[in-house]
Amino acid sequence: MTLHLDDLRVRHLGECHYDSPFSEMLAAKKTSPHYVAEGDRVLLEDTVSMLAEHGLPPDRLPSFEAAGPRRKIYFDPAHVTAGIVTAGGLCPGLNDVIRGLVQELTVHYEVKRILGFRNGFRGMTAERCNDTIELTPDRVRDIHNAGGTILGSSRGAQDADEMVDSLVLRGINVLFVIGGDGGMRAATRLAAAIRARGLDIAVIGVPKTIDNDLPYTDQSFGFQSAFAQAANFISSVSVEAAASPDGIGIVKLMGRHSGFIACYASLARNAADIVLIPEVPFVLEGPDGLLARVERHVRAKGFVVIVAAEGAGQDLLEQRGLLEDATDASGNAKLGDIGALLRESITAHLTEVGLAPTIRYIDPSYAIRSVTANAYDSVYCLRLAHAAVHAAMAGRTETAVVRWRRRFVHVPMPLIISHRNQVDPDGDLWMSVLEATGQLVQPRTCDPLDIDLGGRGVCRSTAVR
Ligand SMILES: Nc1ncnc2c1ncn2[C@@H]1O[C@H](COP(=O)(O)OP(=O)(O)OP(=O)(O)O)[C@@H](O)[C@H]1O
Ligand SMILES: O=P(O)(O)OC[C@H]1O[C@](O)(CO)[C@@H](O)[C@@H]1O
Ligand SMILES: [Mg+2]
């Protein structure tokens, strides 16, 4: 999709007339290698060839508005009531973002009232109209020490008009939505309903997803903490598989349509022989199939470690009638169990060829996303929260705050939901995975002398890949 400068302009509620608490500090600031001044923009693309292809002068090149404080703001902080909602699946760092929002709103802008909606958008419906928590610096002081979200979260559809009524009822004029693709869709609809009624309410999104499946953002917050936790399970399964005769280690990791967690967790340990992701189809049978490859690994080094994203191989499950045609409350497709299919088909195949596999299968599931944010993600969440507050106070709306190529920028919300971020099978991440696992080459069988002398497990790692 080719984007033009105008596609990247964010919506404003109106002119900014109030002095911001940062006015003085910003007065002398100019763009430097480490700072983007409020009037400057950040390029969408970062290679010479992509920029040259546009054939445009620099000020017409597709670029994002820089995030950060403004000298003038739209809202009079004394008249702001802020709302915060967390939607969709959990993600490390949700509490860090809530905490950062509350601290920035109160400490610098001196906003007096902040309400957190309970249990996602559900808390904004007429039925649950009192489902809010008053958020104060005291209330949020220690919340980053726990995973999850103190507000709760949910899936499932809500009526946009009802949610607008709920904002009006509470006098909320600034709403922060921390959510994934669904949450950003809901926020976009909400903002459209607000616009249709001519209301002065800013809606700012902070994209959240452990799947890292939202575009126009560097890795989303919490992703790093989630894949670090996932990597621990890969280590566990590797140890188990290596210590078992004909050991088969399988880890199934979250990632519905995008295999980023599987790729990064595998690279973090460099112990996987095979990584399976939704973006790269594979077959089970035949000389190039997964079963033959598994067999070669087992014969070559005595064991094999497989990391599968939960969305991998869904076509194989469908062919076998193992997919139920169902969706969750938010309309997300319910997936078939690729881990179970691997376990069963590998056991059957290896038994048939005369091996005696020991299967070690781990599905850590929620254990990777319910953890607290690591230090890196905590910093990231705090800075996103600051950027979100600045954007809202400056009257930006239908806008997400993201980090893009290491700069914090504003992205129009419709772009964030325009398509899904996926691992590019032609990109450098997948290339790194292929290099690390050796999936490009066939496993070599061990030297017969090795087998005579050492038995299983002598040939390890890259030597046999
Ligand atoms: N197309 C849509 N239009 C309006 N609201 C939506 C839409 N899709 C999802 N939502 C709402 O957004 C909320 C969160 O959506 P969803 O459950 O898909 O999680 P998500 O935000 O995508 O997070 P995750 O990363 O866990 O998938 C739900 O309450 C849902 O009703
Ligand atoms: O929370 P639920 O509804 O079980 O959803 C699980 C899904 O949510 C995600 O964690 C994304 O939030 C996916 O990786 C996973 O498939
Ligand atoms: Mg989603």
Side-chain angles (χ1 to χ4, degrees):
M1 178 164 83
T2 307
L3 289 176
H4 303 284
L5 183 55
D6 289 336
D7 302 320
L8 300 163
R9 294 202 194 280
V10 297
R11 296 185 72 84
H12 294 216
L13 289 171
E15 286 290 308
C16 292
H17 293 301
Y18 296 94
D19 278 335
S20 105
F22 296 87
S23 278
E24 222 171 285
M25 192 252 263
L26 296 175
K29 274 204 171 288
K30 296 195 197 77
T31 294
S32 74
H34 309 290
Y35 176 76
V36 188
E38 63 179 286
D40 206 348
R41 296 183 66 89
V42 174
L43 289 173
L44 168 71
E45 290 144 340
D46 70 350
T47 65
V48 172
S49 61
M50 283 193 280
L51 294 175
E53 220 168 87
H54 290 286
L56 290 169
D59 62 345
R60 293 297 310 158
L61 285 169
S63 57
F64 294 114
E65 180 174 73
R70 265 58 193 167
R71 294 177 68 184
K72 291 279 181 191
I73 53 177
Y74 178 75
F75 286 107
D76 173 359
H79 295 126
V80 166
T81 297
I84 304 177
V85 62
T86 49
L90 295 185
C91 171
L94 286 165
N95 281 335
D96 295 71
V97 176
I98 296 168
R99 181 172 178 258
L101 291 171
V102 173
Q103 288 173 337
E104 186 68 10
L105 283 163
T106 52
V107 173
H108 289 112
Y109 290 97
E110 299 182 37
V111 167
K112 298 281 180 300
R113 190 146 196 252
I114 308 168
L115 297 175
F117 288 97
R118 296 274 302 132
N119 299 320
F121 290 107
R122 195 185 290 185
M124 293 175 68
T125 53
E127 190 196 347
R128 318 249 173 167
C129 91
N130 289 318
D131 238 356
T132 51
I133 307 179
E134 193 96 25
L135 295 171
T136 61
D138 267 358
R139 176 68 186 83
V140 301
R141 183 167 300 119
D142 300 320
I143 62 174
H144 58 304
N145 294 322
T149 155
I150 55 155
L151 298 179
S153 193
S154 65
R155 301 193 187 275
Q158 283 78 35
D159 180 71
D161 277 311
E162 238 183 72
M163 293 197 284
V164 180
D165 290 342
S166 168
L167 296 176
V168 173
L169 186 75
R170 294 173 176 83
I172 288 174
N173 38 11
V174 159
L175 178 71
F176 299 96
V177 177
I178 313 168
D181 58 326
M184 293 300 120
R185 269 191 193 94
T188 309
R189 287 203 188 172
L190 188 62
I194 288 169
R195 193 154 26 96
R197 289 207 215 168
L199 296 168
D200 213 20
I201 303 176
V203 179
I204 298 296
V206 184
K208 164 243 55 148
T209 148
I210 56 155
D211 291 357
N212 200 39
D213 57 357
L214 290 170
Y216 305 112
T217 166
D218 296 347
Q219 290 171 354
S220 43
F221 78 80
F223 170 71
Q224 201 183 90
S225 307
F227 84 68
Q229 180 72 348
N232 293 333
F233 292 99
I234 298 178
S235 294
S236 305
V237 108
S238 310
V239 169
E240 285 287 340
S244 309
D246 299 342
I248 313 294
I250 304 172
V251 185
K252 183 175 81 168
L253 296 172
M254 282 191 167
R256 272 200 196 107
H257 306 285
S258 302
F260 288 104
I261 297 175
C263 288
Y264 273 89
S266 299
L267 290 174
R269 287 294 184 267
N270 199 10
D273 301 292
I274 297 171
V275 177
L276 305 171
I277 59 172
E279 297 88 336
V280 180
F282 64 96
V283 292
L284 288 178
E285 282 89 16
D288 294 327
L290 180 86
L291 299 176
R293 176 166 281 272
V294 166
E295 181 187 336
R296 283 195 289 270
H297 273 292
V298 173
R299 291 194 189 282
K301 69 168 185 178
F303 70 98
V304 63
V305 175
I306 304 168
V307 175
E310 62 179 335
Q314 293 298 301
D315 54 330
L316 304 178
L317 290 153
E318 191 175 16
Q319 286 156 21
R320 287 162 177 77
L322 296 172
L323 270 193
E324 42 168 341
D325 187 16
T327 54
D328 70 12
S330 293
N332 302 301
K334 285 197 174 163
L335 300 179
D337 189 350
I338 187 62
L341 177 68
L342 293 177
R343 184 178 52 200
E344 275 141 40
S345 47
I346 290 171
T347 307
H349 173 79
L350 294 189
T351 309
E352 197 180 305
V353 297
L355 295 166
T358 309
I359 305 271
R360 303 297 191 210
Y361 172 39
I362 301 184
D363 175 0
S365 181
Y366 300 107
I368 69 164
R369 70 175 202 191
S370 50
V371 295
T372 52
N374 64 17
Y376 174 91
D377 272 326
S378 287
V379 173
Y380 189 10
C381 290
L382 185 65
R383 298 188 72 195
L384 281 171
H386 291 172
V389 172
H390 297 316
M393 296 307 289
R396 303 309 190 260
T397 191
E398 292 183 60
T399 298
V401 292
V402 305
R403 196 175 56 191
W404 181 246
R405 307 201 193 286
R406 309 194 65 233
R407 309 272 199 191
F408 288 89
V409 300
H410 296 162
V411 180
M413 239 177 225
L415 276 190
I416 291 280
I417 50 175
S418 60
H419 62 279
R420 186 175 280 137
N421 189 32
Q422 288 191 297
V423 177
D424 182 349
D426 289 325
D428 69 338
L429 172 61
W430 187 241
M431 206 189 304
S432 294
V433 173
L434 295 182
E435 285 177 65
T437 56
Q439 265 168 275
L440 284 172
V441 293
Q442 298 295 355
R444 275 194 292 114
T445 42
C446 293
D447 185 322
L449 190 61
D450 281 346
I451 291 171
D452 286 349
L453 289 176
R456 294 175 202 290
V458 220
C459 292
R460 284 222 49 199
S461 187
T462 48
V464 292
R465 283 179 181 155

PDB file of all heavy atoms in Angstrom, residues 88-91 155 208-211 213 253-256 261 310 328 332-333 335 365-366 368-369, ligand 2:
ATOM      1  N   GLY A  88      -9.347  -6.311  25.187  1.00  0.00           N
ATOM      2  CA  GLY A  88      -8.735  -7.469  24.522  1.00  0.00           C
ATOM      3  C   GLY A  88      -7.928  -8.322  25.476  1.00  0.00           C
ATOM      4  O   GLY A  88      -8.117  -8.278  26.694  1.00  0.00           O
ATOM      5  N   GLY A  89      -7.012  -9.125  24.920  1.00  0.00           N
ATOM      6  CA  GLY A  89      -6.206 -10.032  25.741  1.00  0.00           C
ATOM      7  C   GLY A  89      -5.192  -9.272  26.583  1.00  0.00           C
ATOM      8  O   GLY A  89      -4.848  -8.128  26.284  1.00  0.00           O
ATOM      9  N   LEU A  90      -4.701  -9.921  27.625  1.00  0.00           N
ATOM     10  CA  LEU A  90      -3.704  -9.271  28.476  1.00  0.00           C
ATOM     11  C   LEU A  90      -2.377  -9.130  27.749  1.00  0.00           C
ATOM     12  O   LEU A  90      -2.115  -9.810  26.753  1.00  0.00           O
ATOM     13  CB  LEU A  90      -3.501 -10.075  29.759  1.00  0.00           C
ATOM     14  CG  LEU A  90      -4.696 -10.156  30.698  1.00  0.00           C
ATOM     15  CD1 LEU A  90      -4.299 -10.888  31.978  1.00  0.00           C
ATOM     16  CD2 LEU A  90      -5.244  -8.773  31.020  1.00  0.00           C
ATOM     17  N   CYS A  91      -1.567  -8.255  28.292  1.00  0.00           N
ATOM     18  CA  CYS A  91      -0.265  -7.973  27.680  1.00  0.00           C
ATOM     19  C   CYS A  91       0.616  -7.395  28.774  1.00  0.00           C
ATOM     20  O   CYS A  91       0.142  -6.540  29.544  1.00  0.00           O
ATOM     21  CB  CYS A  91      -0.505  -6.951  26.566  1.00  0.00           C
ATOM     22  SG  CYS A  91       0.964  -6.269  25.826  1.00  0.00           S
ATOM     23  N   ARG A 155     -13.493  -9.166  25.946  1.00  0.00           N
ATOM     24  CA  ARG A 155     -13.781  -9.212  24.510  1.00  0.00           C
ATOM     25  C   ARG A 155     -15.294  -9.057  24.360  1.00  0.00           C
ATOM     26  O   ARG A 155     -16.033  -9.107  25.329  1.00  0.00           O
ATOM     27  CB  ARG A 155     -13.304 -10.527  23.920  1.00  0.00           C
ATOM     28  CG  ARG A 155     -11.797 -10.766  24.101  1.00  0.00           C
ATOM     29  CD  ARG A 155     -11.319 -11.905  23.228  1.00  0.00           C
ATOM     30  NE  ARG A 155      -9.944 -12.267  23.491  1.00  0.00           N
ATOM     31  CZ  ARG A 155      -8.884 -11.677  22.952  1.00  0.00           C
ATOM     32  NH1 ARG A 155      -9.038 -10.664  22.115  1.00  0.00           N
ATOM     33  NH2 ARG A 155      -7.662 -12.085  23.232  1.00  0.00           N
ATOM     34  N   LYS A 208      -1.741  -2.158  21.783  1.00  0.00           N
ATOM     35  CA  LYS A 208      -1.292  -3.213  22.696  1.00  0.00           C
ATOM     36  C   LYS A 208      -1.479  -4.561  22.029  1.00  0.00           C
ATOM     37  O   LYS A 208      -2.566  -4.855  21.540  1.00  0.00           O
ATOM     38  CB  LYS A 208      -2.136  -3.137  23.970  1.00  0.00           C
ATOM     39  CG  LYS A 208      -2.069  -4.337  24.834  1.00  0.00           C
ATOM     40  CD  LYS A 208      -3.382  -5.092  25.033  1.00  0.00           C
ATOM     41  CE  LYS A 208      -4.098  -5.544  23.818  1.00  0.00           C
ATOM     42  NZ  LYS A 208      -4.869  -6.785  23.936  1.00  0.00           N
ATOM     43  N   THR A 209      -0.452  -5.376  21.958  1.00  0.00           N
ATOM     44  CA  THR A 209      -0.627  -6.738  21.439  1.00  0.00           C
ATOM     45  C   THR A 209       0.633  -7.547  21.650  1.00  0.00           C
ATOM     46  O   THR A 209       1.712  -7.137  21.207  1.00  0.00           O
ATOM     47  CB  THR A 209      -0.949  -6.750  19.920  1.00  0.00           C
ATOM     48  OG1 THR A 209      -0.401  -7.929  19.325  1.00  0.00           O
ATOM     49  CG2 THR A 209      -0.366  -5.571  19.182  1.00  0.00           C
ATOM     50  N   ILE A 210       0.509  -8.681  22.344  1.00  0.00           N
ATOM     51  CA  ILE A 210       1.708  -9.521  22.451  1.00  0.00           C
ATOM     52  C   ILE A 210       2.005 -10.168  21.106  1.00  0.00           C
ATOM     53  O   ILE A 210       3.112 -10.613  20.862  1.00  0.00           O
ATOM     54  CB  ILE A 210       1.616 -10.623  23.537  1.00  0.00           C
ATOM     55  CG1 ILE A 210       0.415 -11.512  23.311  1.00  0.00           C
ATOM     56  CG2 ILE A 210       1.687 -10.064  24.922  1.00  0.00           C
ATOM     57  CD1 ILE A 210       0.604 -12.894  23.909  1.00  0.00           C
ATOM     58  N   ASP A 211       0.997 -10.240  20.225  1.00  0.00           N
ATOM     59  CA  ASP A 211       1.238 -10.859  18.919  1.00  0.00           C
ATOM     60  C   ASP A 211       2.071  -9.953  18.006  1.00  0.00           C
ATOM     61  O   ASP A 211       2.556 -10.405  16.971  1.00  0.00           O
ATOM     62  CB  ASP A 211      -0.106 -11.167  18.225  1.00  0.00           C
ATOM     63  CG  ASP A 211      -0.872 -12.278  18.928  1.00  0.00           C
ATOM     64  OD1 ASP A 211      -0.337 -12.836  19.895  1.00  0.00           O
ATOM     65  OD2 ASP A 211      -2.003 -12.576  18.503  1.00  0.00           O
ATOM     66  N   ASP A 213       1.010  -7.718  16.103  1.00  0.00           N
ATOM     67  CA  ASP A 213       0.369  -7.795  14.785  1.00  0.00           C
ATOM     68  C   ASP A 213      -0.209  -6.474  14.296  1.00  0.00           C
ATOM     69  O   ASP A 213      -0.965  -6.445  13.323  1.00  0.00           O
ATOM     70  CB  ASP A 213      -0.722  -8.890  14.779  1.00  0.00           C
ATOM     71  CG  ASP A 213      -1.785  -8.678  15.848  1.00  0.00           C
ATOM     72  OD1 ASP A 213      -1.660  -7.722  16.634  1.00  0.00           O
ATOM     73  OD2 ASP A 213      -2.737  -9.478  15.903  1.00  0.00           O
ATOM     74  N   LEU A 253       3.314 -21.575  20.987  1.00  0.00           N
ATOM     75  CA  LEU A 253       3.288 -20.218  21.534  1.00  0.00           C
ATOM     76  C   LEU A 253       2.160 -19.403  20.932  1.00  0.00           C
ATOM     77  O   LEU A 253       1.763 -19.628  19.784  1.00  0.00           O
ATOM     78  CB  LEU A 253       4.630 -19.522  21.237  1.00  0.00           C
ATOM     79  CG  LEU A 253       5.839 -20.161  21.922  1.00  0.00           C
ATOM     80  CD1 LEU A 253       7.132 -19.539  21.425  1.00  0.00           C
ATOM     81  CD2 LEU A 253       5.723 -20.011  23.451  1.00  0.00           C
ATOM     82  N   MET A 254       1.688 -18.413  21.701  1.00  0.00           N
ATOM     83  CA  MET A 254       0.607 -17.558  21.189  1.00  0.00           C
ATOM     84  C   MET A 254       1.049 -16.841  19.922  1.00  0.00           C
ATOM     85  O   MET A 254       2.240 -16.640  19.685  1.00  0.00           O
ATOM     86  CB  MET A 254       0.183 -16.564  22.248  1.00  0.00           C
ATOM     87  CG  MET A 254      -0.710 -17.193  23.296  1.00  0.00           C
ATOM     88  SD  MET A 254      -1.452 -15.951  24.363  1.00  0.00           S
ATOM     89  CE  MET A 254      -2.712 -16.937  25.174  1.00  0.00           C
ATOM     90  N   GLY A 255       0.096 -16.448  19.145  1.00  0.00           N
ATOM     91  CA  GLY A 255       0.364 -15.792  17.861  1.00  0.00           C
ATOM     92  C   GLY A 255      -0.649 -16.317  16.861  1.00  0.00           C
ATOM     93  O   GLY A 255      -0.421 -17.331  16.214  1.00  0.00           O
ATOM     94  N   ARG A 256      -1.797 -15.642  16.830  1.00  0.00           N
ATOM     95  CA  ARG A 256      -2.913 -16.142  16.009  1.00  0.00           C
ATOM     96  C   ARG A 256      -2.587 -16.131  14.531  1.00  0.00           C
ATOM     97  O   ARG A 256      -2.722 -17.125  13.842  1.00  0.00           O
ATOM     98  CB  ARG A 256      -4.125 -15.232  16.211  1.00  0.00           C
ATOM     99  CG  ARG A 256      -5.008 -15.595  17.336  1.00  0.00           C
ATOM    100  CD  ARG A 256      -6.361 -14.940  17.098  1.00  0.00           C
ATOM    101  NE  ARG A 256      -7.130 -14.946  18.330  1.00  0.00           N
ATOM    102  CZ  ARG A 256      -7.362 -13.865  19.062  1.00  0.00           C
ATOM    103  NH1 ARG A 256      -6.907 -12.694  18.692  1.00  0.00           N
ATOM    104  NH2 ARG A 256      -8.064 -13.966  20.173  1.00  0.00           N
ATOM    105  N   ILE A 261       6.203 -13.892  18.045  1.00  0.00           N
ATOM    106  CA  ILE A 261       6.663 -14.442  19.339  1.00  0.00           C
ATOM    107  C   ILE A 261       7.486 -15.699  19.086  1.00  0.00           C
ATOM    108  O   ILE A 261       8.566 -15.876  19.660  1.00  0.00           O
ATOM    109  CB  ILE A 261       5.477 -14.763  20.268  1.00  0.00           C
ATOM    110  CG1 ILE A 261       4.720 -13.481  20.612  1.00  0.00           C
ATOM    111  CG2 ILE A 261       5.951 -15.448  21.545  1.00  0.00           C
ATOM    112  CD1 ILE A 261       3.466 -13.720  21.439  1.00  0.00           C
ATOM    113  N   GLU A 310       0.754 -20.689  17.480  1.00  0.00           N
ATOM    114  CA  GLU A 310      -0.557 -21.364  17.529  1.00  0.00           C
ATOM    115  C   GLU A 310      -1.319 -21.283  16.210  1.00  0.00           C
ATOM    116  O   GLU A 310      -2.130 -22.151  15.888  1.00  0.00           O
ATOM    117  CB  GLU A 310      -1.419 -20.802  18.664  1.00  0.00           C
ATOM    118  CG  GLU A 310      -1.730 -19.329  18.479  1.00  0.00           C
ATOM    119  CD  GLU A 310      -2.599 -18.728  19.566  1.00  0.00           C
ATOM    120  OE1 GLU A 310      -3.351 -19.452  20.218  1.00  0.00           O
ATOM    121  OE2 GLU A 310      -2.516 -17.496  19.745  1.00  0.00           O
ATOM    122  N   ASP A 328     -14.591 -16.103  18.701  1.00  0.00           N
ATOM    123  CA  ASP A 328     -14.813 -15.677  20.086  1.00  0.00           C
ATOM    124  C   ASP A 328     -15.770 -14.481  20.100  1.00  0.00           C
ATOM    125  O   ASP A 328     -16.253 -14.048  19.044  1.00  0.00           O
ATOM    126  CB  ASP A 328     -13.477 -15.385  20.798  1.00  0.00           C
ATOM    127  CG  ASP A 328     -12.771 -14.132  20.275  1.00  0.00           C
ATOM    128  OD1 ASP A 328     -13.395 -13.353  19.518  1.00  0.00           O
ATOM    129  OD2 ASP A 328     -11.603 -13.927  20.622  1.00  0.00           O
ATOM    130  N   ASN A 332     -12.952 -12.951  16.689  1.00  0.00           N
ATOM    131  CA  ASN A 332     -11.668 -13.553  16.324  1.00  0.00           C
ATOM    132  C   ASN A 332     -11.862 -15.056  16.104  1.00  0.00           C
ATOM    133  O   ASN A 332     -12.525 -15.716  16.918  1.00  0.00           O
ATOM    134  CB  ASN A 332     -10.634 -13.356  17.439  1.00  0.00           C
ATOM    135  CG  ASN A 332     -10.409 -11.886  17.763  1.00  0.00           C
ATOM    136  OD1 ASN A 332     -10.022 -11.114  16.893  1.00  0.00           O
ATOM    137  ND2 ASN A 332     -10.643 -11.505  19.007  1.00  0.00           N
ATOM    138  N   ALA A 333     -11.261 -15.586  15.018  1.00  0.00           N
ATOM    139  CA  ALA A 333     -11.422 -17.010  14.705  1.00  0.00           C
ATOM    140  C   ALA A 333     -10.829 -17.870  15.819  1.00  0.00           C
ATOM    141  O   ALA A 333      -9.749 -17.576  16.342  1.00  0.00           O
ATOM    142  CB  ALA A 333     -10.715 -17.309  13.391  1.00  0.00           C
ATOM    143  N   LEU A 335      -8.921 -21.052  16.917  1.00  0.00           N
ATOM    144  CA  LEU A 335      -7.937 -21.850  16.179  1.00  0.00           C
ATOM    145  C   LEU A 335      -7.996 -23.323  16.572  1.00  0.00           C
ATOM    146  O   LEU A 335      -8.423 -23.675  17.667  1.00  0.00           O
ATOM    147  CB  LEU A 335      -6.533 -21.311  16.454  1.00  0.00           C
ATOM    148  CG  LEU A 335      -6.277 -19.861  16.048  1.00  0.00           C
ATOM    149  CD1 LEU A 335      -4.860 -19.442  16.409  1.00  0.00           C
ATOM    150  CD2 LEU A 335      -6.521 -19.659  14.560  1.00  0.00           C
ATOM    151  N   SER A 365       0.760 -21.096  26.890  1.00  0.00           N
ATOM    152  CA  SER A 365      -0.485 -20.335  26.797  1.00  0.00           C
ATOM    153  C   SER A 365      -0.399 -19.000  27.537  1.00  0.00           C
ATOM    154  O   SER A 365       0.490 -18.204  27.282  1.00  0.00           O
ATOM    155  CB  SER A 365      -1.629 -21.226  27.301  1.00  0.00           C
ATOM    156  OG  SER A 365      -2.846 -20.556  27.223  1.00  0.00           O
ATOM    157  N   TYR A 366      -1.319 -18.780  28.504  1.00  0.00           N
ATOM    158  CA  TYR A 366      -1.408 -17.474  29.174  1.00  0.00           C
ATOM    159  C   TYR A 366      -0.174 -17.145  30.007  1.00  0.00           C
ATOM    160  O   TYR A 366       0.001 -15.991  30.407  1.00  0.00           O
ATOM    161  CB  TYR A 366      -2.657 -17.442  30.064  1.00  0.00           C
ATOM    162  CG  TYR A 366      -3.914 -17.657  29.268  1.00  0.00           C
ATOM    163  CD1 TYR A 366      -4.623 -18.856  29.348  1.00  0.00           C
ATOM    164  CD2 TYR A 366      -4.374 -16.673  28.388  1.00  0.00           C
ATOM    165  CE1 TYR A 366      -5.766 -19.061  28.597  1.00  0.00           C
ATOM    166  CE2 TYR A 366      -5.516 -16.871  27.633  1.00  0.00           C
ATOM    167  CZ  TYR A 366      -6.210 -18.073  27.733  1.00  0.00           C
ATOM    168  OH  TYR A 366      -7.329 -18.270  26.974  1.00  0.00           O
ATOM    169  N   ILE A 368       2.709 -16.700  29.203  1.00  0.00           N
ATOM    170  CA  ILE A 368       3.673 -15.755  28.597  1.00  0.00           C
ATOM    171  C   ILE A 368       3.142 -14.324  28.575  1.00  0.00           C
ATOM    172  O   ILE A 368       3.912 -13.386  28.422  1.00  0.00           O
ATOM    173  CB  ILE A 368       4.115 -16.169  27.172  1.00  0.00           C
ATOM    174  CG1 ILE A 368       2.980 -16.034  26.154  1.00  0.00           C
ATOM    175  CG2 ILE A 368       4.694 -17.565  27.159  1.00  0.00           C
ATOM    176  CD1 ILE A 368       3.483 -16.045  24.717  1.00  0.00           C
ATOM    177  N   ARG A 369       1.835 -14.160  28.716  1.00  0.00           N
ATOM    178  CA  ARG A 369       1.325 -12.785  28.599  1.00  0.00           C
ATOM    179  C   ARG A 369       0.850 -12.191  29.919  1.00  0.00           C
ATOM    180  O   ARG A 369       0.496 -11.015  29.973  1.00  0.00           O
ATOM    181  CB  ARG A 369       0.224 -12.711  27.547  1.00  0.00           C
ATOM    182  CG  ARG A 369      -1.062 -13.379  27.934  1.00  0.00           C
ATOM    183  CD  ARG A 369      -2.160 -13.165  26.889  1.00  0.00           C
ATOM    184  NE  ARG A 369      -3.441 -13.343  27.500  1.00  0.00           N
ATOM    185  CZ  ARG A 369      -4.585 -13.433  26.858  1.00  0.00           C
ATOM    186  NH1 ARG A 369      -4.602 -13.346  25.545  1.00  0.00           N
ATOM    187  NH2 ARG A 369      -5.712 -13.579  27.505  1.00  0.00           N
TER     188      ARG A 369
HETATM  189  O1  LIG B   2      -7.633 -14.293  25.770  1.00  0.00           O
HETATM  190  P1  LIG B   2      -8.150 -15.289  24.807  1.00  0.00           P
HETATM  191  O2  LIG B   2      -9.534 -14.891  24.382  1.00  0.00           O
HETATM  192  O3  LIG B   2      -8.037 -16.685  25.243  1.00  0.00           O
HETATM  193  O4  LIG B   2      -7.290 -15.120  23.495  1.00  0.00           O
HETATM  194  C1  LIG B   2      -6.043 -15.648  23.249  1.00  0.00           C
HETATM  195  C2  LIG B   2      -5.439 -14.875  22.113  1.00  0.00           C
HETATM  196  O5  LIG B   2      -5.107 -13.597  22.532  1.00  0.00           O
HETATM  197  C3  LIG B   2      -3.777 -13.277  22.157  1.00  0.00           C
HETATM  198  O6  LIG B   2      -2.992 -13.459  23.308  1.00  0.00           O
HETATM  199  C4  LIG B   2      -3.691 -11.869  21.675  1.00  0.00           C
HETATM  200  O7  LIG B   2      -4.035 -11.037  22.745  1.00  0.00           O
HETATM  201  C5  LIG B   2      -3.425 -14.292  21.102  1.00  0.00           C
HETATM  202  O8  LIG B   2      -2.046 -14.534  21.003  1.00  0.00           O
HETATM  203  C6  LIG B   2      -4.209 -15.478  21.559  1.00  0.00           C
HETATM  204  O9  LIG B   2      -4.559 -16.301  20.498  1.00  0.00           O
END
